[in-house]
């Protein structure tokens, strides 16, 4: 499903983010940019060791990436697939919802899109940040993710397409339902 907003299109895809032909893919990273499991592991494997080296250079400068913030690196071997940048953001760890988790998650999406505009990425892909190892409930996360992306695409010029790439069928189905609800409310 896709939804056309003022400055760009939001599209939902069931698939693997490392296989998307977009300018930038977003990584659900950790504060140390160490690589890990889930989508982070898949991105590091696909990009190769150069990505880890670049991440460590960033950590030498900033020590840690705070939850909700975003930085970018090149895409290592994924360059061959047409991906130019990886935007790394750290989602909130779910602790019941009253510890600022919704605000942090929203900032992940908005800051990643701001960074994409700054580096000139016109197409980008997001995973469902925080809904794996960090335990954020999928439906709640879908509302925040899609509302933030839609709002950014209504307000800011520069990104032509944002793809939400959902790896698990049930996460895709939840996002689809949420987008239908949000889209019809427009
Ligand atoms: N493409 C797209 N989505 C994927 C892929 C893929 N190849 N693989 C998994 N997902 P998670 P988090 C989905 O755990 O919750 C890491 O160890 C997955 O099904 O990757 O933000 C980091 O280093 C889920 O829906 O990220 C951090 O320590 C979504 O990606 C921590 O996990 C997010 O799940 C971050 O946890």
């Amino acid at each position: 499903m896709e939804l056309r907003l003022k400055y760009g299109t939001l599209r939902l895809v069931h698939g693997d983010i490392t296989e998307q032909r977009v300018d930038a893919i977003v990584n659900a990273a950790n504060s140390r940019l160490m690589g890990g499991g889930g989508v982070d592991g898949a991105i590091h494997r696909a990009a190769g060791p150069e990505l880890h080296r670049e991440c460590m250079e960033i950590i030498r400068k900033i020590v840690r990436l705070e939850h909700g913030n975003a930085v970018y690196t090149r895409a290592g071997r994924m360059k061959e697939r047409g991906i130019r940048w990886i935007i790394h953001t750290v989602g909130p760890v779910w602790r019941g919802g009253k510890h600022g988790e919704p605000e942090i998650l929203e900032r992940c999406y908005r800051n990643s899109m701001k960074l994409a505009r700054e580096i000139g990425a016109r197409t980008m892909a997001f995973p469902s940040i925080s809904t794996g190892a960090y335990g954020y409930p999928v439906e709640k996360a879908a509302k925040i993710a899609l509302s933030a992306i839609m709002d950014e695409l209504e307000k800011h010029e520069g990104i032509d397409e944002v793809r939400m790439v959902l790896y698990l069928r049930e996460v895709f189905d939840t996002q689809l339902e949420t987008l239908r609800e949000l889209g019809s409310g427009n």
Side-chain angles (χ1 to χ4, degrees):
M1 179 178 172
E2 57 177 65
L3 188 65
R4 173 86 209 142
L5 286 310
K6 184 164 181 212
Y7 292 111
T9 301
L10 167 58
R11 178 169 293 147
L12 297 190
V13 177
H14 178 213
D16 182 337
I17 201 166
T18 65
E19 288 168 8
Q20 306 301 311
R21 188 167 277 274
V22 285
D23 293 338
I25 63 173
V26 177
N27 183 17
N30 53 63
S31 292
R32 297 284 178 188
L33 300 182
M34 280 295 291
V39 70
D40 195 7
I43 288 174
H44 274 267
R45 276 193 300 280
E50 188 52 41
L51 176 58
H52 184 70
R53 276 195 287 276
E54 247 189 273
C55 286
M56 291 307 98
E57 267 169 44
I58 293 173
I59 288 302
R60 263 200 294 279
K61 287 180 205 139
I62 67 171
V63 183
R64 52 179 285 127
L65 181 62
E66 295 304 328
H67 295 268
N69 290 357
V71 295
Y72 74 95
T73 62
R74 288 168 301 167
R77 286 200 300 259
M78 278 194 285
K79 192 177 165 197
E80 293 150 28
R81 304 180 190 180
I83 299 170
R84 297 171 67 189
W85 297 287
I86 301 168
I87 293 174
H88 306 262
T89 187
V90 188
V93 178
W94 179 256
R95 293 197 287 143
K98 297 206 170 104
H99 296 83
E101 297 95 323
E103 293 76 16
I104 295 169
L105 188 62
E106 183 177 344
R107 289 183 57 236
C108 286
Y109 287 93
R110 291 190 187 272
N111 284 334
S112 296
M113 288 179 71
K114 181 164 181 271
L115 192 52
R117 290 193 298 271
E118 284 166 10
I119 60 183
R122 299 207 67 96
T123 55
M124 70 186 297
F126 278 106
S128 173
I129 298 165
S130 281
T131 60
Y134 283 177
Y136 208 113
V138 170
E139 202 182 321
K140 287 187 170 63
K143 276 198 190 106
I144 292 169
L146 297 173
S147 310
I149 295 169
M150 285 164 65
D151 189 57
E152 291 286 318
L153 289 175
E154 276 294 321
K155 286 188 181 147
H156 303 287
E157 195 173 3
I159 302 172
D160 302 321
E161 184 189 324
V162 175
R163 234 176 261 181
M164 215 38 226
V165 182
L166 296 321
Y167 194 62
L168 301 177
R169 182 77 218 186
E170 60 265 32
V171 178
F172 175 77
D173 289 343
T174 302
Q175 289 257 350
L176 197 59
E177 208 177 299
T178 307
L179 185 57
R180 287 202 178 110
E181 281 166 22
L182 293 173
S184 63
N186 256 352

